[in-house]
Short mmCIF file of all heavy atoms in Angstrom, two decimals:
data_model
loop_
_atom_site.label_atom_id
_atom_site.label_comp_id
_atom_site.label_asym_id
_atom_site.label_seq_id
_atom_site.Cartn_x
_atom_site.Cartn_y
_atom_site.Cartn_z
N SER L 82 21.79 12.61 -13.88
CA SER L 82 22.16 12.56 -12.48
C SER L 82 20.97 11.95 -11.66
O SER L 82 21.22 11.59 -10.51
CB SER L 82 22.56 13.92 -11.90
OG SER L 82 21.43 14.81 -11.85
N VAL L 83 19.83 11.89 -12.21
CA VAL L 83 18.74 11.27 -11.50
C VAL L 83 18.71 9.72 -11.73
O VAL L 83 18.59 9.29 -12.84
CB VAL L 83 17.40 11.81 -11.93
CG1 VAL L 83 16.18 11.06 -11.32
CG2 VAL L 83 17.29 13.32 -11.57
N GLU L 84 19.02 9.00 -10.75
CA GLU L 84 19.05 7.49 -10.82
C GLU L 84 17.69 6.85 -10.79
O GLU L 84 17.52 5.80 -11.33
CB GLU L 84 20.00 6.96 -9.76
CG GLU L 84 21.42 7.43 -9.82
CD GLU L 84 22.23 6.93 -8.61
OE1 GLU L 84 21.90 7.39 -7.48
OE2 GLU L 84 23.16 6.15 -8.78
N SER L 85 16.78 7.43 -10.00
CA SER L 85 15.49 6.81 -9.81
C SER L 85 14.41 7.90 -9.79
O SER L 85 14.59 8.98 -9.33
CB SER L 85 15.44 6.07 -8.45
OG SER L 85 14.22 5.45 -8.32
N VAL L 86 13.28 7.51 -10.35
CA VAL L 86 12.08 8.37 -10.37
C VAL L 86 11.04 7.92 -9.35
O VAL L 86 10.74 6.76 -9.25
CB VAL L 86 11.39 8.44 -11.73
CG1 VAL L 86 10.02 9.11 -11.67
CG2 VAL L 86 12.29 9.16 -12.73
N LEU L 87 10.58 8.79 -8.52
CA LEU L 87 9.52 8.56 -7.52
C LEU L 87 8.27 9.08 -8.24
O LEU L 87 8.09 10.28 -8.33
CB LEU L 87 9.77 9.27 -6.18
CG LEU L 87 8.71 9.19 -5.16
CD1 LEU L 87 8.37 7.72 -4.85
CD2 LEU L 87 9.13 9.94 -3.88
N ASN L 88 7.41 8.13 -8.74
CA ASN L 88 6.31 8.44 -9.55
C ASN L 88 5.07 8.66 -8.67
O ASN L 88 4.45 7.65 -8.26
CB ASN L 88 6.16 7.32 -10.60
CG ASN L 88 4.96 7.56 -11.46
OD1 ASN L 88 4.21 8.60 -11.44
ND2 ASN L 88 4.84 6.67 -12.45
N LEU L 89 4.72 9.90 -8.40
CA LEU L 89 3.50 10.17 -7.52
C LEU L 89 2.45 10.86 -8.25
O LEU L 89 1.65 11.64 -7.70
CB LEU L 89 3.99 11.05 -6.36
CG LEU L 89 5.08 10.56 -5.46
CD1 LEU L 89 5.41 11.49 -4.28
CD2 LEU L 89 4.72 9.14 -4.90
N THR L 90 2.33 10.61 -9.59
CA THR L 90 1.31 11.11 -10.44
C THR L 90 -0.12 10.46 -10.14
O THR L 90 -0.11 9.50 -9.35
CB THR L 90 1.61 11.00 -11.87
OG1 THR L 90 1.84 9.56 -12.14
CG2 THR L 90 2.89 11.71 -12.24
N VAL L 91 -1.10 10.97 -10.79
CA VAL L 91 -2.46 10.31 -10.63
C VAL L 91 -2.41 8.92 -11.26
O VAL L 91 -1.55 8.64 -12.19
CB VAL L 91 -3.54 11.13 -11.25
CG1 VAL L 91 -3.70 12.49 -10.53
CG2 VAL L 91 -3.33 11.43 -12.71
N PRO L 92 -3.23 7.92 -10.85
CA PRO L 92 -3.16 6.57 -11.35
C PRO L 92 -3.09 6.45 -12.84
O PRO L 92 -2.35 5.60 -13.42
CB PRO L 92 -4.37 5.97 -10.80
CG PRO L 92 -4.59 6.62 -9.46
CD PRO L 92 -4.21 8.07 -9.73
N ALA L 93 -3.92 7.30 -13.55
CA ALA L 93 -4.01 7.20 -15.02
C ALA L 93 -2.66 7.51 -15.70
O ALA L 93 -2.47 7.07 -16.82
CB ALA L 93 -5.09 8.14 -15.54
N ALA L 94 -1.73 8.22 -15.01
CA ALA L 94 -0.46 8.56 -15.64
C ALA L 94 0.64 7.70 -15.11
O ALA L 94 1.72 7.82 -15.58
CB ALA L 94 -0.13 10.01 -15.26
N HIS L 95 0.38 6.76 -14.22
CA HIS L 95 1.47 5.93 -13.68
C HIS L 95 2.27 5.17 -14.79
O HIS L 95 3.54 5.21 -14.74
CB HIS L 95 0.83 4.87 -12.66
CG HIS L 95 0.54 5.53 -11.37
ND1 HIS L 95 -0.03 4.73 -10.35
CD2 HIS L 95 0.64 6.73 -10.89
CE1 HIS L 95 -0.29 5.54 -9.24
NE2 HIS L 95 0.07 6.75 -9.62
N ALA L 96 1.54 4.49 -15.59
CA ALA L 96 2.26 3.67 -16.64
C ALA L 96 3.09 4.47 -17.60
O ALA L 96 4.23 4.11 -17.93
CB ALA L 96 1.25 2.82 -17.40
N GLU L 97 2.50 5.66 -18.03
CA GLU L 97 3.20 6.54 -18.94
C GLU L 97 4.54 7.00 -18.35
O GLU L 97 5.57 6.92 -19.03
CB GLU L 97 2.35 7.72 -19.35
CG GLU L 97 3.06 8.67 -20.30
CD GLU L 97 2.18 10.00 -20.51
OE1 GLU L 97 1.07 10.05 -19.94
OE2 GLU L 97 2.59 10.84 -21.23
N ILE L 98 4.46 7.50 -17.15
CA ILE L 98 5.70 8.02 -16.54
C ILE L 98 6.69 6.92 -16.29
O ILE L 98 7.90 7.05 -16.52
CB ILE L 98 5.37 8.79 -15.23
CG1 ILE L 98 4.50 10.01 -15.55
CG2 ILE L 98 6.61 9.18 -14.52
CD1 ILE L 98 5.11 11.03 -16.41
N THR L 99 6.18 5.75 -15.81
CA THR L 99 7.14 4.63 -15.52
C THR L 99 7.79 4.16 -16.77
O THR L 99 9.03 3.98 -16.76
CB THR L 99 6.38 3.49 -14.85
OG1 THR L 99 5.85 3.91 -13.56
CG2 THR L 99 7.29 2.32 -14.65
N LEU L 100 7.12 4.01 -17.87
CA LEU L 100 7.67 3.58 -19.10
C LEU L 100 8.73 4.57 -19.63
O LEU L 100 9.77 4.22 -20.08
CB LEU L 100 6.62 3.29 -20.20
CG LEU L 100 5.79 2.11 -19.97
CD1 LEU L 100 4.45 2.15 -20.80
CD2 LEU L 100 6.55 0.80 -20.27
N LYS L 101 8.40 5.86 -19.55
CA LYS L 101 9.39 6.86 -19.98
C LYS L 101 10.63 6.87 -19.12
O LYS L 101 11.75 6.96 -19.66
CB LYS L 101 8.70 8.28 -19.90
CG LYS L 101 7.72 8.51 -21.03
CD LYS L 101 7.15 9.95 -20.87
CE LYS L 101 6.13 10.23 -22.02
NZ LYS L 101 5.53 11.60 -21.89
N ALA L 102 10.48 6.68 -17.86
CA ALA L 102 11.62 6.67 -16.91
C ALA L 102 12.57 5.39 -17.25
O ALA L 102 13.73 5.52 -17.29
CB ALA L 102 11.18 6.66 -15.47
N LEU L 103 11.88 4.23 -17.41
CA LEU L 103 12.65 3.05 -17.77
C LEU L 103 13.33 3.20 -19.01
O LEU L 103 14.56 2.78 -19.16
CB LEU L 103 11.73 1.86 -17.79
CG LEU L 103 11.07 1.37 -16.45
CD1 LEU L 103 10.04 0.36 -16.72
CD2 LEU L 103 12.16 0.90 -15.52
N ASN L 104 12.75 3.82 -20.05
CA ASN L 104 13.41 4.01 -21.33
C ASN L 104 14.57 4.97 -21.23
O ASN L 104 15.49 4.93 -22.15
CB ASN L 104 12.36 4.53 -22.35
CG ASN L 104 11.60 3.41 -23.06
OD1 ASN L 104 12.19 2.46 -23.50
ND2 ASN L 104 10.31 3.56 -23.12
N ARG L 105 14.61 5.75 -20.22
CA ARG L 105 15.77 6.62 -19.93
C ARG L 105 16.75 6.05 -18.94
O ARG L 105 17.67 6.82 -18.44
CB ARG L 105 15.32 8.04 -19.62
CG ARG L 105 14.68 8.76 -20.78
CD ARG L 105 13.88 10.01 -20.27
NE ARG L 105 13.39 10.81 -21.39
CZ ARG L 105 12.33 10.55 -22.12
NH1 ARG L 105 11.65 9.36 -21.94
NH2 ARG L 105 11.92 11.28 -23.12
N GLY L 106 16.64 4.74 -18.67
CA GLY L 106 17.61 4.12 -17.78
C GLY L 106 17.47 4.34 -16.27
O GLY L 106 18.48 4.22 -15.62
N LYS L 107 16.26 4.63 -15.84
CA LYS L 107 16.13 5.04 -14.39
C LYS L 107 15.26 3.95 -13.73
O LYS L 107 14.32 3.46 -14.22
CB LYS L 107 15.39 6.38 -14.31
CG LYS L 107 16.12 7.48 -15.00
CD LYS L 107 15.50 8.87 -14.76
CE LYS L 107 16.18 9.91 -15.66
NZ LYS L 107 17.63 9.96 -15.42
N HIS L 108 15.64 3.71 -12.44
CA HIS L 108 14.84 2.87 -11.60
C HIS L 108 13.55 3.65 -11.27
O HIS L 108 13.54 4.87 -11.33
CB HIS L 108 15.55 2.48 -10.33
CG HIS L 108 16.90 1.93 -10.54
ND1 HIS L 108 17.08 0.69 -11.15
CD2 HIS L 108 18.14 2.42 -10.33
CE1 HIS L 108 18.41 0.44 -11.24
NE2 HIS L 108 19.09 1.47 -10.73
N VAL L 109 12.52 2.89 -10.87
CA VAL L 109 11.24 3.68 -10.58
C VAL L 109 10.58 3.13 -9.36
O VAL L 109 10.51 1.81 -9.11
CB VAL L 109 10.20 3.53 -11.77
CG1 VAL L 109 8.96 4.30 -11.48
CG2 VAL L 109 10.95 3.98 -13.05
N TYR L 110 10.02 4.00 -8.46
CA TYR L 110 9.15 3.59 -7.39
C TYR L 110 7.87 4.43 -7.60
O TYR L 110 7.91 5.65 -7.68
CB TYR L 110 9.75 3.87 -6.03
CG TYR L 110 8.95 3.34 -4.91
CD1 TYR L 110 9.15 2.04 -4.45
CD2 TYR L 110 7.98 4.10 -4.29
CE1 TYR L 110 8.33 1.50 -3.39
CE2 TYR L 110 7.20 3.63 -3.26
CZ TYR L 110 7.43 2.29 -2.79
OH TYR L 110 6.64 1.84 -1.79
N THR L 111 6.69 3.71 -7.63
CA THR L 111 5.44 4.30 -7.95
C THR L 111 4.44 4.13 -6.89
O THR L 111 4.40 3.17 -6.20
CB THR L 111 4.91 3.64 -9.34
OG1 THR L 111 5.87 3.73 -10.36
CG2 THR L 111 3.65 4.32 -9.77
N GLU L 112 3.59 5.20 -6.78
CA GLU L 112 2.45 5.07 -5.89
C GLU L 112 1.45 4.06 -6.45
O GLU L 112 1.54 3.67 -7.64
CB GLU L 112 1.68 6.46 -5.76
CG GLU L 112 1.71 7.05 -4.36
CD GLU L 112 1.05 6.18 -3.41
OE1 GLU L 112 -0.04 5.73 -3.56
OE2 GLU L 112 1.72 5.92 -2.35
N LYS L 113 0.60 3.56 -5.57
CA LYS L 113 -0.42 2.58 -5.98
C LYS L 113 -1.50 3.32 -6.72
O LYS L 113 -1.74 4.51 -6.54
CB LYS L 113 -0.88 1.73 -4.86
CG LYS L 113 -1.42 2.55 -3.64
CD LYS L 113 -2.87 3.01 -3.91
CE LYS L 113 -3.35 3.98 -2.76
NZ LYS L 113 -4.65 4.62 -3.06
#
Side-chain angles (χ1 to χ4, degrees):
S82 68
V83 173
E84 297 172 294
S85 179
V86 167
L87 175 56
N88 183 359
L89 302 181
T90 57
V91 296
H95 284 178
E97 177 187 359
I98 296 299
T99 297
L100 286 166
K101 286 181 177 179
L103 291 171
N104 273 313
R105 286 163 174 80
K107 303 184 188 305
H108 310 291
V109 184
Y110 187 87
T111 306
E112 242 303 306
K113 53 83 186 169

